[in-house]
Amino acid sequence: SRLPKLPFAVHSFTHPGLNLGIIDQPTPFGPVPRHGDKLDKNDLQVSFIIDETMGGYVEIVKWMKLISNSGKFVYDEAKDKGLYSDATLTCFNSKKNPTVNIFYKNIFPISLGDINFTSKTQDMEYLTCEVTFKIQTFDIESVDRSFVV
């Protein structure tokens, strides 16, 4: 995994929605909506706690700098292989047993949120940050393999 420190700090996760879209078929009486043929996926959003070493945050910054080819003007196609990663979200039931896995293929970060450093609070507040990923595809599978989508 490209982010070994992040999984333990994730505190919320937004699974991407799907959009099929429509095509208007022209007729003499007006357009008739028909289903589209392309399934678009929304972005994967993850909110995580930043630890005292900023481990997960730094991993994402390094990944984004690698992707952006920062400071370099030559594109090297051989390096393109390490720019994507796979990810797995495991859902648990009320007894904390795994029930469903969602496998995300070829994800990469496109946005890393702001960090609000403040010393005004008296209570212990953890720093948090959001990261947004693009995904190529995902599969949903029950742990007992009773369904695969």
Side-chain angles (χ1 to χ4, degrees), residues 42-79:
N42 294 343
D43 297 334
L44 174 66
Q45 297 176 342
V46 177
S47 182
F48 63 98
I49 296 171
I50 299 173
D51 68 5
E52 51 278 341
T53 65
M54 296 184 75
Y57 184 85
V58 169
E59 288 174 342
I60 296 168
V61 169
K62 286 180 180 179
W63 190 2
M64 291 180 82
K65 285 184 175 184
L66 177 68
I67 290 171
S68 69
N69 210 15
S70 292
K72 299 175 187 163
F73 297 106
V74 179
Y75 176 71
D76 184 357
E77 191 173 334
K79 290 184 179 178

